[in-house]
Amino acid sequence: MEQSEFIWMNGEVVPWEDAQVHVLTHALHYGTSVFEGVRCYDTEIGPAIFRHQDHVDRLFRSAQAYFMELPFTAEEIRAATLDLIARNKLSSCYIRPIAYRGYGSMGLFPLAVDVDVTIAVWEWGLYLGEDGKRDGIRAKISSWRRISPETLIPYAKAGGQYLNSILAKVEAHNAGYDEAILLDHVGNVCEGTGENIFVVRDGVISTPPMTSSILEGISRDSIIKIAADMGHEVVIREIAADELPIADEIFLTGTAAEMVPVRELDDRPVGSGKPGELTKALLAVYEDALYGRDERYRDWLDPVPASPAPS
Ligand code: PPE
């Protein structure tokens, strides 16, 4: 991976290589962590974090779901992130804040273990590649079902929950596909391993609701708002698995992946087998929003200060 100079660890800025944990860190054993994936773009108004506050808020919601009390406020995390990007002299980067049960005691009762918080920022290209975004990807319906609300907390972005995504991702990779699409526990369409899903048929855009065990994606929300501004109401409804083969267009959204057309699903072309017209139109406006080129979405940008706060 592309290293940067500094990492923020429990309130201190330390050199990248010094950001280490003990092997008996609770989260390493039991997945007791919550995290975010955020991006900073080199925008028209300078380096700026896309929907920063929404990501920080989701981090706190995830933490609450797993009884974790963060020793920092949302505002402290937000300010630390902006400062860290400036210190690392980055104009665009991926941002990974993580709160985790640290070192102190083992065993499944976690509440006595302190919560540590770190923030790392580094340059990270698109998850499914620039060519994936341009030409579309090949996806496979996973044989693994997405975690259900009966066993875990789908709306939380928690470390341990990602074993589910990892099983689906490796299965898809080994079978020669770019990405997996998971159904929920009752068999409705849910999402990708790290992206939400949208389906277009006869000009109507649909996306699964919270009750289909999705992670409530911030990119998903941005696309819903952008589509509405373009005159397309996105229908939020349960989508049956057998609606996928008859879709005209399918695309995925997520911070790491941004927005990616699915050109082939289970070896069959989606629509024409090329990124669809609506997908392309939405992607163009979405990119304008990310890079601050569209005034309507400037409120989504949290500008990075030109120089770090004096320490
Ligand atoms: N579903 C899942 C399971 C998920 O992990 C993500 C984000 C999304 C949907 C989309 O959410 P949002 O980024 O708010 O639009 N996945 C993050 C981590 C991916 C990774 O590989 O790590 C991300 O995109 O940063």
Side-chain angles (χ1 to χ4, degrees), residues 35 37-38 55 58 94 96 124 127 146 157 162 165 191-196 215-220 253-257:
F35 66 98
V38 197
H55 282 281
R58 190 172 63 187
Y94 187 76
R96 171 55 57 84
W124 198 18
Y127 198 48
R146 162 90 169 150
K157 203 166 165 59
Y162 277 83
S165 291
E191 60 183 14
T193 61
E195 311 87 18
N196 291 112
L215 179 82
E216 203 174 9
I218 291 161
S219 324
R220 170 182 177 274
T253 63
T255 300

Side-chain angles (χ1 to χ4, degrees), residues 90-106:
L90 290 166
S91 48
S92 65
C93 58
Y94 187 76
I95 304 161
R96 171 55 57 84
I98 180 166
Y100 56 95
R101 298 274 178 195
Y103 172 80
S105 74
M106 275 290 136

Side-chain angles (χ1 to χ4, degrees), residues 175-215:
Y177 298 86
D178 303 307
E179 183 56 298
I181 289 167
L182 288 86
L183 307 180
D184 71 6
H185 64 297
V186 298
N188 287 320
V189 176
C190 183
E191 60 183 14
T193 61
E195 311 87 18
N196 291 112
I197 188 168
F198 289 76
V199 176
V200 183
R201 191 174 178 220
D202 293 336
V204 180
I205 311 170
S206 310
T207 194
M210 287 292 283
T211 49
S212 292
S213 301
I214 64 164
L215 179 82

Side-chain angles (χ1 to χ4, degrees), residues 178-292:
D178 303 307
E179 183 56 298
I181 289 167
L182 288 86
L183 307 180
D184 71 6
H185 64 297
V186 298
N188 287 320
V189 176
C190 183
E191 60 183 14
T193 61
E195 311 87 18
N196 291 112
I197 188 168
F198 289 76
V199 176
V200 183
R201 191 174 178 220
D202 293 336
V204 180
I205 311 170
S206 310
T207 194
M210 287 292 283
T211 49
S212 292
S213 301
I214 64 164
L215 179 82
E216 203 174 9
I218 291 161
S219 324
R220 170 182 177 274
D221 182 70
S222 306
I223 290 294
I224 291 170
K225 294 199 168 113
I226 287 170
D229 292 344
M230 291 167 71
H232 302 283
E233 210 58 55
V234 175
V235 184
I236 299 173
R237 64 167 178 92
E238 285 174 359
I239 299 174
D242 58 8
E243 291 183 64
L244 291 180
I246 53 170
D248 300 322
E249 306 180 25
I250 298 175
F251 62 88
L252 306 175
T253 63
T255 300
E258 291 183 356
M259 184 177 161
V260 182
V262 177
R263 69 177 159 87
E264 210 179 283
L265 182 66
D266 284 339
D267 304 310
R268 292 195 220 179
V270 176
S272 64
K274 295 205 174 79
E277 291 309 315
L278 252 173
T279 305
K280 284 194 287 189
L282 283 166
L283 177 58
V285 181
Y286 184 54
E287 290 213 302
D288 284 347
L290 294 179
Y291 289 93

